Amino acid sequence: MTRPLPRAALLGIPWDGGSSYERGSALAPPVIREAFRAEASNRWTESGVDLSAPGRVADEGDLRLDPADPRPEIESAAAGLLARGDRPLFLGGDHSITYPLVRAVARAHPGLGILHLDAHPDLYDVFQDDRHSHACPFARIMEEGLATRLVQVGIRAATGEQRDQAERFGVETIPMTDWRDDLAPRFDGPVYVSFDLDALDPAHAPGVSHREPGGLSTRQAIGLLQRLEGRVVAADLVELNPRRDVGGLAAAACGKLVKELLALLLKE
């Protein structure tokens, strides 16, 4: 009997209530979809996967969230996709959405590891009196034991508190000062990829709220994803702020990253 091919699912999470500096990432999901579907390019990944093939990628639209507390809805929606066997790619939204998403994914995939690309560690215990700020998701994830391993790549804005938190939680940090173009993360179990767009240098993705020079090029980030060894079961792409984009450069980068993240999710 032929085993059915895996299916990926896109789900937009238009939430930026956890943003600490400038709102706008809640507007991102439709902008990312538009870039992904733009006629200027095509739906093939660099590894040769045709994302336009019937049944390979489902689009579940965008969640309608309770502004008082969206986390239960986010977690429930993610759990629903996982329960039917889909491999979801979540389109943010700010990085605070990652905590409820990982809660759902960790239940479905015990022994979860996380590859986190970002300029910032997002490990504050509390930021601006908010334990669920976009600066805190990985503190919540690690203190709950939702991930057996957290590897952070691209970090270049870590504070003393976050360095202490990384040591406390046993985080494997690969800052930009240690970047190598042959870096190839390896995971033995299921993997969640969390991609904050400000991992890229602002020259490649100006449309973010927290521009931090000295980051990855789009090519370096794609190469890292392509060298990743592990079974990717879910991913998110967060922190595009269309209000701050210049000429659609960051949106175009997101469109390309969606393709390559879907390629990981669709590996058999």
Side-chain angles (χ1 to χ4, degrees):
M1 178 182 294
T2 303
R3 187 174 63 179
L5 293 172
R7 185 174 81 160
L10 295 174
L11 179 64
I13 305 180
W15 177 255
D16 58 12
S19 296
S20 60
Y21 171 61
E22 186 169 336
R23 300 279 180 102
S25 58
L27 304 172
V31 175
I32 296 173
R33 281 193 187 85
E34 182 180 3
F36 169 54
R37 295 170 176 160
E39 293 184 5
S41 186
N42 58 57
R43 299 282 192 88
W44 287 77
T45 73
E46 292 188 0
S47 58
V49 178
D50 180 5
L51 299 174
S52 66
R56 298 312 309 275
V57 181
D59 191 341
E60 300 300 316
D62 295 344
L63 291 182
R64 298 184 65 179
L65 297 168
D66 179 355
D69 185 5
R71 291 187 298 276
E73 296 172 83
I74 293 171
E75 184 176 339
S76 176
L81 295 179
L82 293 159
R84 74 185 193 193
D86 287 344
R87 301 178 184 177
L89 172 55
F90 304 104
L91 308 177
D94 69 34
H95 221 153
S96 68
I97 69 172
T98 299
Y99 168 53
L101 293 174
V102 169
R103 281 176 60 92
V105 177
R107 284 197 306 273
H109 297 283
L112 186 69
I114 300 176
L115 174 64
H116 169 209
L117 291 85
D118 203 325
H120 315 89
D122 293 350
L123 280 166
Y124 284 105
D125 183 52
V126 180
F127 193 76
Q128 296 180 347
D129 297 321
D130 183 3
R131 286 175 53 82
H132 297 288
S133 164
H134 69 164
C136 303
F138 293 97
R140 303 287 79 79
I141 287 166
M142 298 308 287
E143 71 187 7
E144 285 192 23
L146 300 176
T148 60
R149 188 175 171 215
L150 173 58
V151 180
Q152 299 187 322
V153 179
I155 305 301
R156 54 194 187 277
T159 64
E161 177 185 344
Q162 293 189 92
R163 292 171 191 270
D164 290 344
Q165 287 278 80
E167 184 175 356
R168 171 191 172 195
F169 292 124
V171 178
E172 298 169 52
T173 304
I174 304 170
M176 282 307 299
T177 50
D178 293 342
W179 172 260
R180 306 187 320 271
D181 279 346
D182 63 349
L183 190 67
R186 183 180 184 277
F187 292 81
D188 295 326
V191 185
Y192 185 102
V193 177
S194 185
F195 198 118
D196 185 319
L197 193 61
D198 67 26
L200 300 184
D201 191 274
H204 296 264
V208 296
S209 296
H210 299 264
R211 293 174 182 159
E212 188 68 36
L216 297 165
S217 71
T218 308
R219 183 73 261 159
Q220 287 172 323
I222 291 171
L224 177 72
L225 294 176
Q226 291 172 340
R227 290 188 300 273
L228 170 62
E229 297 182 41
R231 179 170 58 92
V232 179
V233 296
D236 65 48
L237 177 59
V238 299
E239 295 287 355
L240 168 67
N241 187 340
R243 291 175 177 165
R244 303 204 73 202
D245 206 359
V246 178
L249 289 175
C254 285
K256 178 70 170 179
L257 289 168
V258 165
K259 293 179 188 179
E260 299 309 312
L261 288 167
L262 288 171
L264 291 177
L265 291 165
L266 291 171
K267 276 187 178 180
E268 299 179 50

